[in-house]
C-alpha cells in the first residue's frame, strides 16, 4: 500500500513539475493538485500507522 501511494504521488509530482502544467486552465490543474495533496496526506497517515505497528511489535 505504501509503495503504491508513493508511486501515485511520484506520477502526480511529475505531472505538476511539467513546465506546461500551470499554463493549463485551473479547472484542469486543480483536481490534480487536490489529488496530490490528498495522496500525500494519506501517505502520512499510513506511515504514522506503520510506525505505531512497528513500535507495538518491538514491545512484544
Amino acid at each position: 500500500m505504501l509503495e503504491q501511494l508513493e508511486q501515485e504521488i511520484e506520477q502526480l509530482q511529475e505531472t505538476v513539475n511539467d513546465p506546461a502544467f500551470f499554463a493549463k486552465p485551473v479547472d484542469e490543474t486543480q483536481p490534480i493538485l487536490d489529488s496530490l495533496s490528498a495522496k500525500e496526506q494519506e501517505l502520512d497517515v499510513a506511515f504514522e500507522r506503520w510506525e505505531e505497528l512497528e513500535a507495538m511489535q518491538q514491545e512484544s
Side-chain angles (χ1 to χ4, degrees), residues 40-57:
E40 287 173 334
Q41 286 179 318
E42 189 177 340
L43 183 62
D44 287 344
V45 169
F47 266 125
E48 287 175 18
R49 181 66 180 141
W50 180 78
E51 288 173 351
E52 288 174 11
L53 293 172
E54 282 286 312
M56 290 170 61
Q57 185 178 16

Side-chain angles (χ1 to χ4, degrees), residues 6-25:
E6 289 173 331
Q7 288 175 345
E8 291 172 6
I9 289 169
E10 187 177 315
Q11 289 172 344
L12 288 169
Q13 286 173 335
E14 286 178 16
T15 300
V16 170
N17 289 336
D18 184 320
F21 179 77
F22 287 102
K24 296 178 181 179

Side-chain angles (χ1 to χ4, degrees), residues 13-36:
Q13 286 173 335
E14 286 178 16
T15 300
V16 170
N17 289 336
D18 184 320
F21 179 77
F22 287 102
K24 296 178 181 179
V26 173
D27 63 337
E28 287 183 34
T29 59
Q30 195 59 51
I32 294 170
L33 294 171
D34 291 344
S35 179
L36 177 58

